[in-house]
Amino acid sequence: MALRFLPLVCAGEIFELKAELNSDKKEKKKEAVKKVIASMTVGKDVSALFPDVVNCMQTDNLELKKLVYLYLMNYAKSQPDMAIMAVNTFVKDCEDPNPLIRALAVRTMGCIRVDKITEYLCEPLRKCLKDEDPYVRKTAAVCVAKLHDINAQLVEDQGFLDTLKDLISDSNPMVVANAVAALSEIAESHPNSNLLDLNPQTINKLLTALNECTEWGQIFILDCLANYTPRDDRESQSICERVTPRLSHANSAVVLSAVKVLMKFMEMLPKDLDYYGTLLKKLAPPLVTLLSAEPELQYVALRNINLIVQRRPEILKHEMKVFFVKYNDPIYVKLEKLDIMIRLASQANIAQVLAELKEYATEVDVDFVRKAVRAIGRCAIKVEQSAERCVSTLLDLIQTKVNYVVQEAIVVIKDIFRKYPNKYESVIATLCENLDSLDEPEARAAMIWIVGEYAERIDNADELLESFLEGFHDESTQVQLQLLTAIVKLFLKKPTETQELVQQVLSLATQDSDNPDLRDRGYIYWRLLSTDPVAAKEVVLAEKPLISEETDLIEPTLLEELICHIGTLASVYHKPPSAFVEGSRGVQHKRLPGSAGSGESVESPDTGSAAGVSDAPPAVILSQGDLLGDLLNLDLTPPATTGPPPPATSGMQLGAMDLLGGGLDSLPPIPLRADTPQSPQIPHQSPSPPDYSPTELGGDLGGSAAMGAGFGAPPAATAASFSAPVSGGLDDLFDLGGGVGMPMGGYSPPKTVWLPVMKGKGLEISGTFARRAGVIQMEMTLTNKAMSVMTDFAIQFNRNSFGLAPAGPLQVLTPLSPNQSIEVTLPLSTVGPVMKMDPLNNLQVAVKNNIDVFYFSCQYPINMLFVEDGKMERQVFLTTWKEIPNDSEAQFQIKDCHLSSDAASNKLQSSNIFTIAKRTVDGQDLLYQSTKLSNGIWVLAELRVQTGNPNFTVCLKCRAPEVSQYVFQSYEAMLKN
């Protein structure tokens, strides 16, 4: 049965074709080759005819030659020895008087991916690159890229790359475009090669060629222009003026490439410039025109417009109507238009937008209706003046009694209550009327939250919540957690009437539930209520943080990169290329010039090391063109073990993966507690509950100093699994047992807020750095000010100046409940990837939990990097001091420091700044000191202390003088604190 489908050529047919291919008649020969190609196209094996087809190459007939070349490309790989027979013909054809044949020969040779043939290709290719005919030159330019893919070393040795660069100055625009395309292709596979050395002269040549190219040539040139960073705003404006005509091109790909260039170069134009306003107006019409294309093109355009309006909403602020949904739009276009409508909503157009959204909410498409109702809520949160009208619209929709409309409306009204407290609570009665119709977890949880939050305004709140309690075990976790919190809130507001109800829910949550989140929250509430009802009130009824309208925007760093990829797949997926392109090829991170500073690389100073001091080269001096790191390239997979940190090459490899994927799901789970307590009792009535330690209960909800440390500690059942040391000198990550005899270490600055609540979607992170027993530690307080439990925490750093990297996973061993704080200590290693930052001590961090990935930057004091073996021998100190040139010396004043020289020396020694010698001259103490950074850089110092004078002078010498400023800051902080 299966044999019917095998595309075999019978022996008789092969014999006939062989005879025809060797025929003396040209027409018969051509027909035979056509038959061979036809058989090959449908998958039949005609490789046996290889020598016969190759013999047909010796012809002047262009059509026959093309067919033979087509056959060769297909079978050369399987018959490399036979393919060499054709080489002489190729070489001969490359010198044919007909330019079409010359181009055909060099194109075919480039497509034959056989190593044995490539060496014969070099000479013909060199001639074709300098051919008098532009068609041959443009074909040869592409051939260089193909040859580079087969044998990169050969291309470099033969000097083809230099010839390609010369072709950028070619008089023919298509040759220029193909040269740019070939160089771009090669540069993508070798990101550090700097092949496209763009300068104003080159850019001028590309812009001149731009007007006369084909549409594909224009796209290549525009993409190349987008990688250029102009020197100043005048050059930026000049390029924009010459690119703007491309906006009126018929091809949508050309339009989007032009938009990409303009969006990037606009960053450098002053906003008060007249041309800036003109450019904004010119960008709108082409984007609007794209929306009149077929649906698939519309969708691509809308995804790109979504990015553009997040960066510059003023471009399309007057074009709201083009985003109104049409009845025949596919659902994917409708949903994208809806999203852009919300982004463009403002006080000026909100009436129009709300009228449209109300109309959409009566459509038949359920998904679209849900999104429309949510959009009304987003409008209320974004445009405060419209909130009342939005609430009124939502109430009208609730009156329709359409089940899914009512449920979505209740979910968004909950958010409106959060945004505008004590303003629209009069609608609660209407919401309560629809309680019985709610069957979706999110809507039920929202309604329960409303009843619990405003229990004092609802007479029968206890009855309403009790009705939910009847099927407690059938509810989803989201509803159970919300119900538990709502009943505790109700009890704190009406203690006498709801005592039995709260006992019932605590019993259900702690005794009958298998869910650890629910049990732990139940225990915490129970402990709070039984020990300190006043504290319980402060915690459970604490003021909620306001909701921000910015929560649905793309993270700024990612948005900048996506703007640089407009018109590519990245702009449709809204993901960086590294998230979906395998391997390193094509994954280059791009930034907008305005946000990434000047774009100029910092020159590396002399990094030589003093003889006899350190053999290791100082890693900090490795300079990168892009000073700001890019967190989007982080591979957030945690280390597989909690053992010593791995080498730099393995543990911190920057991978290409989706940040929002499951990269952190391999964090160790927390085993369930085996024992369950007896039913909790309410205070003033019965004995206190069994004595569970704060560690078991998840710590003190209020985050007090007494119990906060308990959050970092694992329960007894799990302590063993986390006891492996992370690095030398630490018994465990959380100082639980090995910390008694440990030296305290040097100065550590007070904690500051690194991730504010609004940026962290309810998560606040404050922290500091410390060095204890030779280990750098990142000490953080995580506070949950959101409404939901936070779990699955993990952390990753971007490349930084000194290679700081987590020495193990971030271990938050209990879920972080609302209004709870937890203390976490993360040991750090200095073997991560290095990239020079600005400022030098800047650290970019990504923290992930079950809600999202959050990014923030913090600065570590440089004294964290001062190592314990930083005391230099006197003779070496003297030699090194003389060797370091005077221009690498920096002098600073430390004011208002009331310490003796001995006290200062002792204080500095606790932070690994060692005094080598001391002498007194004219009543002034001179302390000669040394310290060594973790990457091998030595810093030498002379500290002058005058008795009775509170102002100290410190003179620093270092082979990397840019470090001196940061070392001085540490000196000042240590001596003054």
Side-chain angles (χ1 to χ4, degrees), residues 176-308:
V176 175
N178 278 21
V180 168
L183 284 168
S184 302
E185 179 79 15
I186 295 168
E188 273 185 3
S189 57
H190 294 73
N192 302 321
S193 57
N194 194 25
L195 283 175
L196 275 164
D197 183 19
L198 298 175
N199 53 50
Q201 293 74 32
T202 312
I203 293 297
N204 192 41
K205 289 169 188 168
L206 295 183
L207 288 166
T208 306
L210 187 62
N211 298 322
E212 300 169 49
C213 280
T214 64
E215 51 199 29
W216 286 112
Q218 291 181 31
I219 292 166
F220 285 128
I221 290 176
L222 287 167
D223 287 349
C224 181
L225 287 173
N227 294 326
Y228 176 63
T229 304
R231 293 168 303 175
D232 51 35
D233 56 341
R234 287 181 62 189
E235 188 185 3
S236 187
Q237 181 177 338
S238 167
I239 294 172
C240 288
E241 284 169 351
R242 295 177 71 179
V243 168
T244 306
R246 299 301 105 213
L247 293 173
S248 55
H249 201 284
N251 186 305
S252 53
V254 175
V255 174
L256 283 175
S257 290
V259 168
K260 170 168 62 182
V261 174
L262 296 173
M263 283 291 290
K264 181 174 179 182
F265 290 179
M266 276 173 77
E267 296 288 332
M268 297 188 70
L269 297 178
K271 292 195 175 179
D272 53 358
L273 196 69
D274 290 342
Y275 180 71
Y276 181 85
T278 311
L279 194 53
L280 284 179
K281 287 176 188 166
K282 284 184 178 175
L283 275 169
L287 293 172
V288 170
T289 306
L290 291 175
L291 298 182
S292 57
E294 52 267 33
E296 293 79 9
L297 271 179
Q298 276 189 58
Y299 179 71
V300 172
L302 286 165
R303 293 292 281 176
N304 281 277
I305 289 169
N306 200 326
L307 298 173
I308 292 164

Side-chain angles (χ1 to χ4, degrees), residues 76-88 90-91 109-110 112-124 147 150-151 154:
K77 204 159 193 177
S78 59
Q79 309 255 2
D81 295 329
M82 299 289 284
I84 292 179
M85 290 165 50
V87 166
N88 286 336
F90 281 132
V91 174
M109 285 179 85
I112 296 176
R113 302 177 66 84
V114 176
D115 289 335
K116 291 179 182 177
I117 288 184
T118 49
E119 55 194 84
Y120 298 104
L121 175 60
C122 294
E123 214 43 56
L147 184 59
I150 302 166
N151 191 336
L154 181 71

Side-chain angles (χ1 to χ4, degrees), residues 710-942:
F711 280 103
T718 59
S721 62
F722 294 101
S723 60
V726 174
S727 57
L730 275 190
D731 284 338
D732 60 56
L733 275 178
F734 297 98
D735 260 351
L736 296 173
V740 181
M742 201 179 281
M744 284 303 290
Y747 166 70
S748 172
K751 284 185 179 176
T752 55
V753 175
W754 289 340
L755 180 69
V757 174
M758 295 302 275
K759 277 187 73 179
K761 296 186 180 176
L763 174 65
E764 181 182 271
I765 301 178
S766 55
T768 186
F769 294 86
R771 188 179 184 93
R772 307 192 197 285
V775 177
I776 305 168
Q777 295 178 347
M778 192 177 191
E779 298 177 346
M780 292 175 283
T781 303
L782 312 183
T783 306
N784 180 359
K785 296 187 179 177
M787 294 293 294
S788 55
V789 174
M790 293 182 181
T791 56
D792 305 329
F793 283 90
I795 193 167
Q796 189 57 284
F797 297 169
N798 196 5
R799 293 176 289 176
N800 53 80
S801 304
F802 293 91
L804 284 182
L810 180 66
Q811 297 197 8
V812 180
L813 300 181
T814 53
L816 191 58
S817 298
N819 290 316
Q820 178 182 338
S821 290
I822 187 169
E823 303 289 331
V824 180
T825 301
L826 178 71
L828 307 182
S829 70
T830 53
V831 294
V834 173
M835 182 174 80
K836 189 172 183 180
M837 303 297 284
D838 185 16
L840 209 58
N841 60 341
N842 194 31
L843 182 65
Q844 295 178 334
V845 184
V847 171
K848 180 183 174 186
N849 62 14
N850 59 321
I851 293 171
D852 206 345
V853 180
F854 307 105
Y855 305 93
F856 62 86
S857 292
C858 55
Q859 293 181 12
Y860 46 91
I862 208 122
N863 56 288
M864 296 302 116
L865 305 169
F866 295 169
V867 295
E868 284 63 25
D869 61 343
K871 188 166 185 177
M872 205 180 256
E873 294 295 326
R874 285 192 181 203
Q875 196 55 47
V876 176
F877 182 93
L878 191 62
T879 310
T880 310
W881 184 277
K882 288 176 183 174
E883 283 178 357
I884 296 176
N886 289 335
D887 56 5
S888 295
E889 184 175 321
Q891 193 165 303
F892 304 95
Q893 285 281 325
I894 301 173
K895 296 182 178 177
D896 299 322
C897 188
H898 302 277
L899 289 173
S900 67
S901 58
D902 289 340
S905 176
N906 292 337
K907 208 166 200 183
L908 293 170
Q909 183 147 337
S910 69
S911 292
N912 296 335
I913 296 177
F914 300 95
T915 302
I916 310 298
K918 174 184 174 182
R919 63 194 181 105
T920 306
V921 180
D922 299 332
Q924 188 178 48
D925 289 340
L926 304 179
L927 302 179
Y928 295 96
Q929 299 174 319
S930 72
T931 189
K932 186 167 91 171
L933 300 184
S934 56
N935 60 355
I937 290 179
W938 285 88
V939 182
L940 311 186
E942 180 189 71

Side-chain angles (χ1 to χ4, degrees), residues 447-468:
M447 192 66 228
I448 291 167
W449 182 87
I450 291 168
V451 173
E453 190 68 18
Y454 303 102
E456 69 279 8
R457 303 181 187 210
I458 304 170
D459 296 334
N460 62 336
D462 52 342
E463 292 173 22
L464 295 176
L465 292 176
E466 196 169 2
S467 67
F468 283 105

